[in-house]
Amino acid sequence: MQPARRRQERALVAVGTLLVVAFAVWRAATGADLADGTHVVALAMRMAQGDAPLSDELNLQALGSLPAVPFTWLWLQVVGVDGIVLASRLFYVLFALAVGWLAYRGLRTGAPPVLAFLAVTLMLLATPYSLLITSYNTGPVLGLGLATCAAFAALQRGSGRWAALAGAALAFSVLSHPATLPPAALLAIILLVLAGRGQVVRGLLTGGLGVSLLVVLAVLAGPGFGTLADTVTFTADYQAGRISPWERLLRSVGMHAEGLLAWRNIPALLLGVVATVPRVPLRWRVVSAAAAPVALGLALIWAARQTAPDELLLGPVASAYLVLVAMLLAPALVLLVRDSGDRRLRQLLVLTGPPALLGLVSLSMTSSASAKWGVAAAPVQPFVGVAVLATLLLLARHRSQLLAVVAAGAVLVSLCGVHTLRVFWDSSPDRLDARVSGGPLAGLLTRESIVDEDCRMRAAVEGWVDPGDSVFFWGAPAGYAYSTARMDTPLLWLADFGAAKAVGVEWMAEHDRWPDVVFVHAGLLEASGGWAEVVARDPILAAFDRDYGPPTQVPSYLVLRQDGTTRPADAIGACG
Protein backbone atom coordinates (compact mmCIF):
# COMPACT_ATOMS: atom_id res chain seq x y z
CA MET A 1 0.00 0.00 0.00
CA GLN A 2 1.37 3.42 -0.95
CA PRO A 3 2.24 5.79 1.94
CA ALA A 4 -0.31 8.42 0.86
CA ARG A 5 -3.04 5.79 0.62
CA ARG A 6 -2.06 4.40 4.01
CA ARG A 7 -2.32 7.85 5.60
CA GLN A 8 -5.75 8.38 4.04
CA GLU A 9 -7.08 5.10 5.39
CA ARG A 10 -5.68 5.77 8.86
CA ALA A 11 -7.32 9.19 8.81
CA LEU A 12 -10.64 7.60 7.86
CA VAL A 13 -10.29 5.13 10.72
CA ALA A 14 -9.48 7.94 13.17
CA VAL A 15 -12.50 9.97 12.06
CA GLY A 16 -14.70 6.89 12.13
CA THR A 17 -13.55 6.04 15.65
CA LEU A 18 -14.35 9.53 16.90
CA LEU A 19 -17.81 9.41 15.32
CA VAL A 20 -18.58 5.94 16.73
CA VAL A 21 -17.39 6.96 20.21
CA ALA A 22 -19.49 10.13 20.06
CA PHE A 23 -22.48 8.05 18.99
CA ALA A 24 -21.87 5.57 21.82
CA VAL A 25 -21.66 8.39 24.39
CA TRP A 26 -24.98 9.78 23.14
CA ARG A 27 -26.51 6.30 23.36
CA ALA A 28 -25.09 5.83 26.85
CA ALA A 29 -26.87 8.96 28.05
CA THR A 30 -30.15 7.99 26.37
CA GLY A 31 -32.85 5.77 27.84
CA ALA A 32 -33.56 4.72 31.42
CA ASP A 33 -35.21 1.76 33.08
CA LEU A 34 -35.79 0.29 36.50
CA ALA A 35 -35.11 -3.27 35.39
CA ASP A 36 -32.16 -4.93 33.60
CA GLY A 37 -30.18 -1.76 32.93
CA THR A 38 -30.16 -0.69 36.58
CA HIS A 39 -30.14 -4.22 38.01
CA VAL A 40 -26.65 -4.96 36.65
CA VAL A 41 -25.36 -1.71 38.18
CA ALA A 42 -26.84 -2.75 41.51
CA LEU A 43 -25.00 -6.08 41.17
CA ALA A 44 -21.70 -4.22 40.81
CA MET A 45 -22.65 -1.99 43.76
CA ARG A 46 -23.32 -5.02 45.92
CA MET A 47 -19.93 -6.54 45.17
CA ALA A 48 -18.28 -3.15 45.66
CA GLN A 49 -19.81 -3.13 49.17
CA GLY A 50 -18.01 -6.40 49.92
CA ASP A 51 -20.61 -9.06 49.16
CA ALA A 52 -19.40 -11.98 47.06
CA PRO A 53 -21.01 -13.55 44.01
CA LEU A 54 -22.41 -17.07 44.49
CA SER A 55 -22.24 -17.02 48.30
CA ASP A 56 -24.01 -13.69 49.00
CA GLU A 57 -25.61 -13.05 45.59
CA LEU A 58 -26.94 -16.47 44.49
CA ASN A 59 -26.86 -15.51 40.85
CA LEU A 60 -24.45 -16.45 38.07
CA GLN A 61 -25.35 -13.21 36.30
CA ALA A 62 -23.39 -11.31 38.95
CA LEU A 63 -20.18 -12.61 37.38
CA GLY A 64 -20.79 -10.45 34.31
CA SER A 65 -20.67 -7.29 36.45
CA LEU A 66 -17.28 -8.11 38.01
CA PRO A 67 -15.19 -5.95 35.60
CA ALA A 68 -17.16 -2.88 36.68
CA VAL A 69 -16.67 -3.42 40.43
CA PRO A 70 -13.44 -1.36 40.89
CA PHE A 71 -14.92 1.61 39.01
CA THR A 72 -18.21 1.28 40.90
CA TRP A 73 -16.38 1.22 44.26
CA LEU A 74 -14.46 4.38 43.30
CA TRP A 75 -17.63 6.19 42.18
CA LEU A 76 -19.45 5.29 45.40
CA GLN A 77 -16.53 6.57 47.50
CA VAL A 78 -16.17 9.86 45.62
CA VAL A 79 -19.71 10.70 44.45
CA GLY A 80 -22.21 8.28 45.99
CA VAL A 81 -25.18 6.88 44.09
CA ASP A 82 -25.99 10.04 42.10
CA GLY A 83 -25.44 9.45 38.39
CA ILE A 84 -24.00 5.98 38.91
CA VAL A 85 -25.93 4.40 36.02
CA LEU A 86 -24.74 6.98 33.47
CA ALA A 87 -21.20 6.78 34.87
CA SER A 88 -21.29 2.99 34.58
CA ARG A 89 -22.43 3.23 30.97
CA LEU A 90 -19.61 5.63 30.12
CA PHE A 91 -17.17 3.27 31.83
CA TYR A 92 -18.45 0.52 29.55
CA VAL A 93 -17.89 2.71 26.48
CA LEU A 94 -14.24 3.17 27.53
CA PHE A 95 -13.93 -0.55 28.28
CA ALA A 96 -15.35 -1.44 24.86
CA LEU A 97 -13.07 1.12 23.18
CA ALA A 98 -10.01 -0.55 24.71
CA VAL A 99 -11.22 -4.00 23.64
CA GLY A 100 -12.03 -2.64 20.18
CA TRP A 101 -8.50 -1.26 19.80
CA LEU A 102 -7.03 -4.69 20.56
CA ALA A 103 -9.50 -6.39 18.21
CA TYR A 104 -8.67 -3.90 15.46
CA ARG A 105 -4.96 -4.55 15.88
CA GLY A 106 -5.62 -8.25 15.56
CA LEU A 107 -7.75 -7.97 12.45
CA ARG A 108 -5.28 -5.58 10.83
CA THR A 109 -2.79 -8.43 10.51
CA GLY A 110 -4.77 -9.57 7.48
CA ALA A 111 -7.28 -6.85 6.58
CA PRO A 112 -7.04 -3.21 5.39
CA PRO A 113 -7.63 -0.47 7.98
CA VAL A 114 -11.09 0.79 6.99
CA LEU A 115 -12.60 -2.67 6.61
CA ALA A 116 -10.99 -3.90 9.84
CA PHE A 117 -12.45 -0.91 11.65
CA LEU A 118 -15.93 -1.57 10.23
CA ALA A 119 -15.76 -5.28 11.09
CA VAL A 120 -14.79 -4.57 14.71
CA THR A 121 -17.55 -1.97 15.00
CA LEU A 122 -20.10 -4.51 13.78
CA MET A 123 -18.77 -7.02 16.30
CA LEU A 124 -18.84 -4.72 19.34
CA LEU A 125 -21.17 -1.74 19.00
CA ALA A 126 -24.53 -3.53 19.23
CA THR A 127 -25.50 -5.10 22.56
CA PRO A 128 -28.45 -7.15 23.81
CA TYR A 129 -31.35 -4.96 24.97
CA SER A 130 -29.44 -2.03 23.37
CA LEU A 131 -27.91 -1.40 26.80
CA LEU A 132 -24.30 -0.18 26.85
CA ILE A 133 -23.42 -1.41 30.33
CA THR A 134 -21.02 -3.96 31.81
CA SER A 135 -23.08 -7.11 32.32
CA TYR A 136 -23.46 -10.81 31.63
CA ASN A 137 -24.95 -9.85 28.25
CA THR A 138 -22.21 -7.49 27.06
CA GLY A 139 -19.22 -9.43 28.42
CA PRO A 140 -19.57 -12.11 25.70
CA VAL A 141 -19.97 -9.43 23.01
CA LEU A 142 -16.55 -8.04 23.93
CA GLY A 143 -14.95 -11.37 24.76
CA LEU A 144 -16.01 -13.33 21.68
CA GLY A 145 -15.30 -10.39 19.37
CA LEU A 146 -11.78 -9.96 20.76
CA ALA A 147 -11.16 -13.72 20.79
CA THR A 148 -12.08 -13.98 17.10
CA CYS A 149 -9.76 -11.17 16.03
CA ALA A 150 -6.91 -12.40 18.24
CA ALA A 151 -7.32 -15.96 16.93
CA PHE A 152 -7.08 -14.66 13.36
CA ALA A 153 -3.94 -12.67 14.22
CA ALA A 154 -2.41 -15.73 15.86
CA LEU A 155 -2.89 -17.71 12.65
CA GLN A 156 -1.61 -14.89 10.44
CA ARG A 157 1.54 -14.29 12.48
CA GLY A 158 2.03 -17.68 14.12
CA SER A 159 1.96 -15.70 17.37
CA GLY A 160 1.67 -17.30 20.77
CA ARG A 161 0.88 -13.91 22.33
CA TRP A 162 -2.15 -13.36 20.12
CA ALA A 163 -3.25 -16.92 20.82
CA ALA A 164 -2.90 -16.36 24.57
CA LEU A 165 -5.04 -13.24 24.27
CA ALA A 166 -7.65 -15.25 22.36
CA GLY A 167 -7.69 -17.89 25.09
CA ALA A 168 -8.00 -15.29 27.85
CA ALA A 169 -10.84 -13.55 25.98
CA LEU A 170 -12.70 -16.84 25.61
CA ALA A 171 -12.34 -17.55 29.32
CA PHE A 172 -13.61 -14.05 30.08
CA SER A 173 -16.68 -14.67 27.88
CA VAL A 174 -17.53 -17.89 29.70
CA LEU A 175 -17.01 -16.25 33.10
CA SER A 176 -19.32 -13.40 32.11
CA HIS A 177 -22.03 -15.70 30.79
CA PRO A 178 -21.53 -19.49 31.29
CA ALA A 179 -24.04 -20.21 28.50
CA THR A 180 -21.37 -19.06 26.02
CA LEU A 181 -19.22 -22.09 26.87
CA PRO A 182 -20.30 -24.07 23.74
CA PRO A 183 -19.35 -21.41 21.15
CA ALA A 184 -16.23 -20.42 23.11
CA ALA A 185 -15.05 -24.03 23.32
CA LEU A 186 -15.77 -24.59 19.64
CA LEU A 187 -13.76 -21.50 18.65
CA ALA A 188 -10.86 -22.77 20.75
CA ILE A 189 -11.03 -26.21 19.11
CA ILE A 190 -11.13 -24.67 15.63
CA LEU A 191 -8.08 -22.54 16.40
CA LEU A 192 -6.22 -25.58 17.71
CA VAL A 193 -7.03 -27.56 14.55
CA LEU A 194 -6.04 -24.73 12.21
CA ALA A 195 -2.82 -24.04 14.11
CA GLY A 196 -1.74 -27.66 14.27
CA ARG A 197 1.10 -27.25 16.75
CA GLY A 198 3.69 -24.75 17.92
CA GLN A 199 3.44 -21.36 19.59
CA VAL A 200 -0.22 -20.79 18.74
CA VAL A 201 -1.30 -23.97 20.50
CA ARG A 202 0.88 -23.26 23.53
CA GLY A 203 -0.32 -19.67 23.69
CA LEU A 204 -4.01 -20.57 23.45
CA LEU A 205 -3.73 -23.20 26.17
CA THR A 206 -1.68 -20.87 28.38
CA GLY A 207 -4.12 -17.98 28.06
CA GLY A 208 -7.35 -19.97 28.22
CA LEU A 209 -6.36 -22.50 30.85
CA GLY A 210 -4.41 -19.91 32.85
CA VAL A 211 -7.40 -17.60 33.26
CA SER A 212 -9.68 -20.59 33.86
CA LEU A 213 -7.34 -21.87 36.57
CA LEU A 214 -7.40 -18.48 38.29
CA VAL A 215 -11.21 -18.59 38.25
CA VAL A 216 -11.22 -22.10 39.71
CA LEU A 217 -8.80 -21.07 42.46
CA ALA A 218 -10.94 -18.02 43.23
CA VAL A 219 -14.02 -20.22 43.58
CA LEU A 220 -12.14 -22.69 45.80
CA ALA A 221 -10.73 -19.93 48.00
CA GLY A 222 -14.06 -18.11 48.14
CA PRO A 223 -17.54 -19.60 48.00
CA GLY A 224 -16.47 -23.13 47.02
CA PHE A 225 -17.93 -25.47 44.44
CA GLY A 226 -20.67 -26.57 46.83
CA THR A 227 -22.00 -23.00 46.89
CA LEU A 228 -21.72 -22.83 43.11
CA ALA A 229 -23.78 -26.01 42.82
CA ASP A 230 -26.34 -24.61 45.27
CA THR A 231 -26.64 -21.42 43.21
CA VAL A 232 -27.22 -23.41 40.02
CA THR A 233 -29.82 -25.56 41.77
CA PHE A 234 -31.61 -22.53 43.21
CA THR A 235 -31.67 -20.89 39.77
CA ALA A 236 -33.08 -24.03 38.18
CA ASP A 237 -35.73 -24.34 40.91
CA TYR A 238 -37.16 -20.84 40.65
CA GLN A 239 -37.09 -20.99 36.83
CA ALA A 240 -38.72 -24.42 36.70
CA GLY A 241 -42.11 -22.96 35.80
CA ARG A 242 -40.81 -21.25 32.67
CA ILE A 243 -40.89 -22.76 29.19
CA SER A 244 -38.41 -25.55 28.42
CA PRO A 245 -35.13 -25.00 26.55
CA TRP A 246 -36.56 -26.74 23.49
CA GLU A 247 -39.58 -24.44 23.50
CA ARG A 248 -37.29 -21.43 23.85
CA LEU A 249 -35.29 -22.56 20.82
CA LEU A 250 -38.40 -23.11 18.71
CA ARG A 251 -39.72 -19.69 19.72
CA SER A 252 -36.42 -18.08 18.78
CA VAL A 253 -36.26 -19.84 15.40
CA GLY A 254 -39.85 -18.84 14.63
CA MET A 255 -39.28 -15.20 15.58
CA HIS A 256 -36.10 -14.90 13.54
CA ALA A 257 -37.68 -16.53 10.51
CA GLU A 258 -40.76 -14.33 10.72
CA GLY A 259 -38.66 -11.22 11.31
CA LEU A 260 -36.49 -11.87 8.25
CA LEU A 261 -39.29 -12.95 5.90
CA ALA A 262 -41.45 -9.86 6.52
CA TRP A 263 -42.79 -8.11 3.42
CA ARG A 264 -40.76 -4.99 4.09
CA ASN A 265 -37.56 -7.03 3.67
CA ILE A 266 -38.27 -8.20 0.09
CA PRO A 267 -35.59 -5.92 -1.49
CA ALA A 268 -32.96 -7.18 0.99
CA LEU A 269 -34.03 -10.80 0.44
CA LEU A 270 -33.82 -10.42 -3.34
CA LEU A 271 -30.33 -8.98 -3.03
CA GLY A 272 -29.36 -11.89 -0.81
CA VAL A 273 -30.68 -14.37 -3.37
CA VAL A 274 -28.84 -12.69 -6.26
CA ALA A 275 -25.62 -12.91 -4.27
CA THR A 276 -25.95 -16.71 -4.12
CA VAL A 277 -26.68 -17.41 -7.82
CA PRO A 278 -23.51 -18.89 -9.41
CA ARG A 279 -24.48 -17.77 -12.93
CA VAL A 280 -24.44 -14.12 -11.87
CA PRO A 281 -20.96 -12.64 -12.42
CA LEU A 282 -18.96 -12.52 -9.21
CA ARG A 283 -18.64 -8.73 -9.27
CA TRP A 284 -22.43 -8.31 -9.26
CA ARG A 285 -22.91 -10.96 -6.60
CA VAL A 286 -20.53 -9.03 -4.39
CA VAL A 287 -22.42 -5.78 -5.02
CA SER A 288 -25.70 -7.49 -4.10
CA ALA A 289 -24.22 -8.93 -0.91
CA ALA A 290 -22.85 -5.52 0.10
CA ALA A 291 -26.21 -3.84 -0.51
CA ALA A 292 -28.32 -6.46 1.31
CA PRO A 293 -27.62 -5.39 4.96
CA VAL A 294 -28.14 -1.74 4.01
CA ALA A 295 -31.50 -2.57 2.43
CA LEU A 296 -32.47 -4.57 5.52
CA GLY A 297 -31.53 -1.70 7.83
CA LEU A 298 -33.43 0.85 5.76
CA ALA A 299 -36.52 -1.39 5.77
CA LEU A 300 -36.42 -1.62 9.57
CA ILE A 301 -35.91 2.11 10.01
CA TRP A 302 -38.76 2.90 7.58
CA ALA A 303 -41.09 0.42 9.30
CA ALA A 304 -40.26 1.81 12.74
CA ARG A 305 -41.11 5.32 11.56
CA GLN A 306 -44.48 4.14 10.24
CA THR A 307 -45.46 2.41 13.48
CA ALA A 308 -44.24 2.08 17.05
CA PRO A 309 -41.00 0.05 17.28
CA ASP A 310 -42.74 -2.11 19.89
CA GLU A 311 -45.04 -3.42 17.15
CA LEU A 312 -42.17 -4.75 15.04
CA LEU A 313 -41.52 -8.40 15.82
CA LEU A 314 -37.76 -8.33 15.40
CA GLY A 315 -35.13 -5.81 14.43
CA PRO A 316 -35.43 -2.48 16.33
CA VAL A 317 -32.77 -3.71 18.79
CA ALA A 318 -29.48 -3.47 16.89
CA SER A 319 -28.13 -6.83 18.05
CA ALA A 320 -31.30 -8.57 16.84
CA TYR A 321 -30.89 -6.76 13.51
CA LEU A 322 -27.38 -8.20 13.21
CA VAL A 323 -28.72 -11.72 13.71
CA LEU A 324 -31.04 -11.10 10.75
CA VAL A 325 -28.07 -9.80 8.74
CA ALA A 326 -26.18 -13.01 9.53
CA MET A 327 -29.09 -15.11 8.32
CA LEU A 328 -29.38 -12.99 5.19
CA LEU A 329 -25.69 -13.11 4.25
CA ALA A 330 -24.67 -16.61 5.38
CA PRO A 331 -25.46 -18.52 2.14
CA ALA A 332 -23.92 -15.83 -0.06
CA LEU A 333 -20.83 -15.53 2.12
CA VAL A 334 -20.06 -19.24 1.96
CA LEU A 335 -20.23 -19.21 -1.84
CA LEU A 336 -18.33 -15.94 -2.25
CA VAL A 337 -15.50 -17.03 0.00
CA ARG A 338 -15.35 -20.41 -1.73
CA ASP A 339 -15.12 -18.79 -5.15
CA SER A 340 -12.62 -16.14 -4.03
CA GLY A 341 -9.87 -18.63 -3.23
CA ASP A 342 -8.66 -16.28 -0.46
CA ARG A 343 -7.11 -18.29 2.38
CA ARG A 344 -7.52 -15.48 4.92
CA LEU A 345 -11.25 -15.18 4.26
CA ARG A 346 -11.65 -18.93 4.56
CA GLN A 347 -9.92 -18.85 7.94
CA LEU A 348 -12.21 -16.07 9.14
CA LEU A 349 -15.28 -17.92 7.92
CA VAL A 350 -14.23 -21.11 9.71
CA LEU A 351 -13.40 -19.19 12.89
CA THR A 352 -16.78 -17.44 13.05
CA GLY A 353 -19.41 -19.53 11.23
CA PRO A 354 -19.65 -22.68 13.39
CA PRO A 355 -19.43 -20.79 16.74
CA ALA A 356 -22.13 -18.39 15.53
CA LEU A 357 -24.55 -21.21 14.77
CA LEU A 358 -23.80 -23.16 17.94
CA GLY A 359 -23.91 -20.01 20.09
CA LEU A 360 -27.23 -18.91 18.62
CA VAL A 361 -28.69 -22.28 19.58
CA SER A 362 -27.15 -22.48 23.07
CA LEU A 363 -28.09 -18.93 24.11
CA SER A 364 -31.58 -19.24 22.65
CA MET A 365 -32.11 -22.38 24.73
CA THR A 366 -30.85 -20.87 27.99
CA SER A 367 -32.44 -17.40 27.88
CA SER A 368 -36.03 -16.81 28.98
CA ALA A 369 -36.05 -13.42 27.26
CA SER A 370 -37.57 -12.86 23.84
CA ALA A 371 -35.34 -13.00 20.76
CA LYS A 372 -36.40 -9.43 19.98
CA TRP A 373 -33.91 -8.22 22.59
CA GLY A 374 -30.97 -9.81 20.75
CA VAL A 375 -30.05 -12.01 23.72
CA ALA A 376 -28.40 -14.65 21.50
CA ALA A 377 -26.48 -12.21 19.30
CA ALA A 378 -23.05 -12.18 21.00
CA PRO A 379 -21.66 -15.29 19.21
CA VAL A 380 -23.22 -14.15 15.92
CA GLN A 381 -21.78 -10.64 15.78
CA PRO A 382 -18.19 -11.76 14.96
CA PHE A 383 -19.64 -13.65 11.99
CA VAL A 384 -21.47 -10.52 10.82
CA GLY A 385 -18.28 -8.49 11.06
CA VAL A 386 -16.41 -11.10 9.03
CA ALA A 387 -19.25 -11.39 6.49
CA VAL A 388 -19.23 -7.67 5.78
CA LEU A 389 -15.41 -7.55 5.80
CA ALA A 390 -15.18 -10.37 3.25
CA THR A 391 -17.90 -8.88 1.06
CA LEU A 392 -16.33 -5.43 0.94
CA LEU A 393 -12.85 -6.84 0.45
CA LEU A 394 -14.12 -8.70 -2.62
CA LEU A 395 -16.02 -5.58 -3.70
CA ALA A 396 -12.78 -3.59 -3.66
CA ARG A 397 -11.05 -6.36 -5.57
CA HIS A 398 -13.67 -6.86 -8.28
CA ARG A 399 -15.20 -3.37 -8.57
CA SER A 400 -13.32 -0.49 -6.96
CA GLN A 401 -11.79 0.48 -3.64
CA LEU A 402 -13.77 3.71 -3.57
CA LEU A 403 -17.03 1.78 -3.91
CA ALA A 404 -15.96 -0.48 -1.05
CA VAL A 405 -15.31 2.55 1.20
CA VAL A 406 -18.70 4.04 0.29
CA ALA A 407 -20.40 0.72 0.98
CA ALA A 408 -18.60 0.52 4.35
CA GLY A 409 -19.99 3.94 5.27
CA ALA A 410 -23.49 2.87 4.21
CA VAL A 411 -23.33 -0.28 6.35
CA LEU A 412 -22.11 1.72 9.37
CA VAL A 413 -24.86 4.32 8.94
CA SER A 414 -27.44 1.52 8.67
CA LEU A 415 -26.26 -0.04 11.93
CA CYS A 416 -26.29 3.30 13.74
CA GLY A 417 -29.70 4.08 12.26
CA VAL A 418 -31.16 0.87 13.63
CA HIS A 419 -29.37 1.57 16.92
CA THR A 420 -31.45 4.75 17.31
CA LEU A 421 -34.78 2.90 17.18
CA ARG A 422 -34.94 1.94 20.85
CA VAL A 423 -33.08 1.63 24.16
CA PHE A 424 -34.69 -1.25 26.04
CA TRP A 425 -37.73 0.41 27.70
CA ASP A 426 -37.47 3.61 25.64
CA SER A 427 -38.49 3.35 22.01
CA SER A 428 -37.58 6.12 19.54
CA PRO A 429 -34.72 7.56 21.65
CA ASP A 430 -34.47 10.58 19.37
CA ARG A 431 -37.94 11.65 20.52
CA LEU A 432 -37.33 11.46 24.28
CA ASP A 433 -37.79 14.76 26.09
CA ALA A 434 -37.44 14.17 29.85
CA ARG A 435 -34.18 14.00 31.79
CA VAL A 436 -33.74 12.54 35.27
CA SER A 437 -32.44 15.24 37.63
CA GLY A 438 -31.07 13.26 40.56
CA GLY A 439 -30.41 9.85 42.08
CA PRO A 440 -28.77 6.88 40.33
CA LEU A 441 -30.46 7.67 36.99
CA ALA A 442 -29.36 11.30 37.02
CA GLY A 443 -28.44 12.66 33.60
CA LEU A 444 -30.32 10.05 31.57
CA LEU A 445 -32.71 11.17 28.85
CA THR A 446 -35.99 9.25 28.97
CA ARG A 447 -39.76 9.69 28.88
CA GLU A 448 -41.89 11.38 31.51
CA SER A 449 -43.39 8.15 32.89
CA ILE A 450 -39.93 6.83 33.77
CA VAL A 451 -39.03 10.14 35.44
CA ASP A 452 -42.18 9.81 37.58
CA GLU A 453 -41.38 6.21 38.48
CA ASP A 454 -37.84 7.17 39.39
CA CYS A 455 -39.18 9.99 41.58
CA ARG A 456 -41.48 7.63 43.47
CA MET A 457 -38.63 5.20 44.08
CA ARG A 458 -36.31 7.95 45.31
CA ALA A 459 -39.00 9.37 47.57
CA ALA A 460 -39.77 5.98 49.12
CA VAL A 461 -36.11 5.17 49.80
CA GLU A 462 -35.30 8.64 51.18
CA GLY A 463 -38.39 8.63 53.36
CA TRP A 464 -38.05 5.16 54.87
CA VAL A 465 -34.36 4.20 54.90
CA ASP A 466 -32.35 5.62 57.81
CA PRO A 467 -28.54 5.77 57.99
CA GLY A 468 -27.19 2.31 58.81
CA ASP A 469 -30.33 0.50 57.63
CA SER A 470 -30.24 -2.51 55.35
CA VAL A 471 -32.81 -3.04 52.58
CA PHE A 472 -34.75 -5.68 50.65
CA PHE A 473 -36.77 -5.12 47.46
CA TRP A 474 -39.43 -7.49 46.10
CA GLY A 475 -40.09 -7.08 42.38
CA ALA A 476 -37.96 -3.92 42.17
CA PRO A 477 -34.27 -4.83 41.74
CA ALA A 478 -33.37 -1.30 40.67
CA GLY A 479 -34.23 -0.11 44.17
CA TYR A 480 -30.88 -1.31 45.50
CA ALA A 481 -29.13 1.33 43.38
CA TYR A 482 -30.96 4.17 45.17
CA SER A 483 -28.90 4.08 48.36
CA THR A 484 -25.69 2.71 49.78
CA ALA A 485 -27.65 0.63 52.29
CA ARG A 486 -26.51 -2.96 52.75
CA MET A 487 -28.44 -5.38 50.54
CA ASP A 488 -29.86 -8.09 52.80
CA THR A 489 -31.13 -10.51 50.18
CA PRO A 490 -29.90 -13.74 48.61
CA LEU A 491 -30.81 -12.43 45.16
CA LEU A 492 -31.37 -8.87 43.97
CA TRP A 493 -34.06 -9.84 41.48
CA LEU A 494 -36.67 -11.58 43.61
CA ALA A 495 -40.35 -11.68 42.74
CA ASP A 496 -43.12 -14.28 42.77
CA PHE A 497 -40.86 -17.35 42.66
CA GLY A 498 -43.03 -19.46 44.97
CA ALA A 499 -41.68 -22.14 47.28
CA ALA A 500 -38.19 -21.97 45.73
CA LYS A 501 -37.61 -18.87 47.86
CA ALA A 502 -37.38 -21.02 50.97
CA VAL A 503 -33.67 -20.95 50.13
CA GLY A 504 -33.81 -17.20 50.74
CA VAL A 505 -35.22 -17.64 54.24
CA GLU A 506 -32.47 -20.15 55.01
CA TRP A 507 -29.85 -17.73 53.69
CA MET A 508 -31.15 -14.86 55.84
CA ALA A 509 -31.27 -17.05 58.94
CA GLU A 510 -27.83 -18.58 58.35
CA HIS A 511 -26.17 -15.20 57.71
CA ASP A 512 -28.36 -13.34 60.23
CA ARG A 513 -29.17 -10.77 57.57
CA TRP A 514 -32.78 -9.78 58.03
CA PRO A 515 -33.35 -6.44 56.32
CA ASP A 516 -34.31 -3.35 58.31
CA VAL A 517 -36.60 -2.08 55.52
CA VAL A 518 -38.60 -4.10 53.00
CA PHE A 519 -40.07 -2.61 49.80
CA VAL A 520 -42.62 -4.55 47.76
CA HIS A 521 -43.59 -3.37 44.27
CA ALA A 522 -47.34 -2.76 44.54
CA GLY A 523 -48.12 -3.18 40.84
CA LEU A 524 -46.33 -6.51 40.51
CA LEU A 525 -47.84 -7.69 43.80
CA GLU A 526 -51.35 -6.90 42.58
CA ALA A 527 -50.68 -8.68 39.27
CA SER A 528 -49.56 -11.74 41.25
CA GLY A 529 -52.79 -11.89 43.27
CA GLY A 530 -52.34 -9.42 46.12
CA TRP A 531 -50.62 -9.49 49.50
CA ALA A 532 -52.51 -12.36 51.13
CA GLU A 533 -52.29 -14.65 48.12
CA VAL A 534 -48.59 -14.08 47.50
CA VAL A 535 -47.69 -14.39 51.20
CA ALA A 536 -49.37 -17.81 51.21
CA ARG A 537 -46.88 -19.14 48.63
CA ASP A 538 -43.81 -16.93 49.16
CA PRO A 539 -41.67 -18.03 52.14
CA ILE A 540 -39.73 -14.75 52.35
CA LEU A 541 -42.78 -12.47 52.33
CA ALA A 542 -44.46 -14.87 54.75
CA ALA A 543 -41.56 -14.39 57.17
CA PHE A 544 -41.79 -10.60 56.84
CA ASP A 545 -45.57 -10.72 57.31
CA ARG A 546 -45.13 -12.77 60.47
CA ASP A 547 -42.27 -10.83 62.06
CA TYR A 548 -42.48 -7.27 60.73
CA GLY A 549 -46.16 -6.49 61.03
CA PRO A 550 -48.58 -5.17 58.40
CA PRO A 551 -47.18 -3.26 55.40
CA THR A 552 -47.68 0.46 54.86
CA GLN A 553 -48.95 1.63 51.49
CA VAL A 554 -46.92 4.40 49.82
CA PRO A 555 -47.01 5.48 46.16
CA SER A 556 -46.12 2.38 44.07
CA TYR A 557 -44.83 0.34 47.03
CA LEU A 558 -45.71 -1.47 50.23
CA VAL A 559 -43.14 -0.89 52.98
CA LEU A 560 -42.33 -2.81 56.16
CA ARG A 561 -39.75 -2.07 58.82
CA GLN A 562 -38.23 -4.70 61.06
CA ASP A 563 -38.66 -2.46 64.10
CA GLY A 564 -42.37 -2.08 63.32
CA THR A 565 -42.22 1.69 63.00
CA THR A 566 -43.91 3.66 60.23
CA ARG A 567 -43.42 7.05 58.63
CA PRO A 568 -45.94 9.91 58.47
CA ALA A 569 -47.58 10.51 55.11
CA ASP A 570 -45.66 13.75 54.57
CA ALA A 571 -42.32 11.96 55.07
CA ILE A 572 -42.37 11.07 51.39
CA GLY A 573 -42.15 13.97 48.99
CA ALA A 574 -44.66 14.42 46.20
CA CYS A 575 -43.87 13.59 42.57
CA GLY A 576 -45.26 15.07 39.40
Side-chain angles (χ1 to χ4, degrees), residues 17-34:
T17 300
L18 290 175
L19 291 175
V20 169
V21 170
F23 177 79
V25 169
W26 170 75
R27 287 289 282 100
T30 306
D33 69 88
L34 279 79

Side-chain angles (χ1 to χ4, degrees), residues 533-544:
E533 185 174 328
V534 175
V535 163
R537 61 175 181 264
D538 187 314
I540 291 182
L541 288 192
F544 296 150

Side-chain angles (χ1 to χ4, degrees), residues 126-191:
T127 57
Y129 299 97
S130 282
L131 289 171
L132 300 178
I133 194 81
T134 309
S135 73
Y136 66 99
N137 279 312
T138 57
V141 171
L142 302 181
L144 293 175
L146 177 57
T148 297
C149 297
F152 175 69
L155 293 174
Q156 290 296 111
R157 299 288 176 82
S159 169
R161 291 183 178 180
W162 278 114
L165 179 60
L170 290 174
F172 170 76
S173 299
V174 176
L175 176 65
S176 298
H177 197 342
T180 59
L181 175 60
L186 182 56
L187 176 55
I189 292 170
I190 291 171
L191 179 55

Side-chain angles (χ1 to χ4, degrees), residues 22-197:
F23 177 79
V25 169
W26 170 75
R27 287 289 282 100
T30 306
D33 69 88
L34 279 79
D36 298 66
T38 309
H39 168 238
V40 294
V41 175
L43 286 172
M45 289 174 62
R46 179 171 200 179
M47 291 182 283
Q49 290 177 356
D51 279 353
L54 305 182
S55 57
D56 295 317
E57 174 68 19
L58 310 183
N59 182 6
L60 291 173
Q61 293 177 352
L63 299 174
S65 296
L66 280 172
V69 170
F71 170 80
T72 302
W73 178 87
L74 181 63
W75 187 269
L76 290 173
Q77 301 305 309
V78 176
V79 179
V81 300
D82 285 345
I84 194 168
V85 173
L86 175 56
S88 298
R89 292 182 182 184
L90 294 176
F91 166 78
Y92 175 78
V93 171
L94 292 176
F95 184 25
L97 181 63
V99 171
W101 178 77
L102 287 173
Y104 171 78
R105 291 285 302 275
L107 211 50
R108 275 286 292 119
T109 59
V114 172
L115 300 188
F117 162 74
L118 176 62
V120 170
T121 302
L122 289 169
M123 292 180 187
L124 304 185
L125 181 60
T127 57
Y129 299 97
S130 282
L131 289 171
L132 300 178
I133 194 81
T134 309
S135 73
Y136 66 99
N137 279 312
T138 57
V141 171
L142 302 181
L144 293 175
L146 177 57
T148 297
C149 297
F152 175 69
L155 293 174
Q156 290 296 111
R157 299 288 176 82
S159 169
R161 291 183 178 180
W162 278 114
L165 179 60
L170 290 174
F172 170 76
S173 299
V174 176
L175 176 65
S176 298
H177 197 342
T180 59
L181 175 60
L186 182 56
L187 176 55
I189 292 170
I190 291 171
L191 179 55
L192 289 173
V193 171
L194 292 178
R197 62 183 64 184

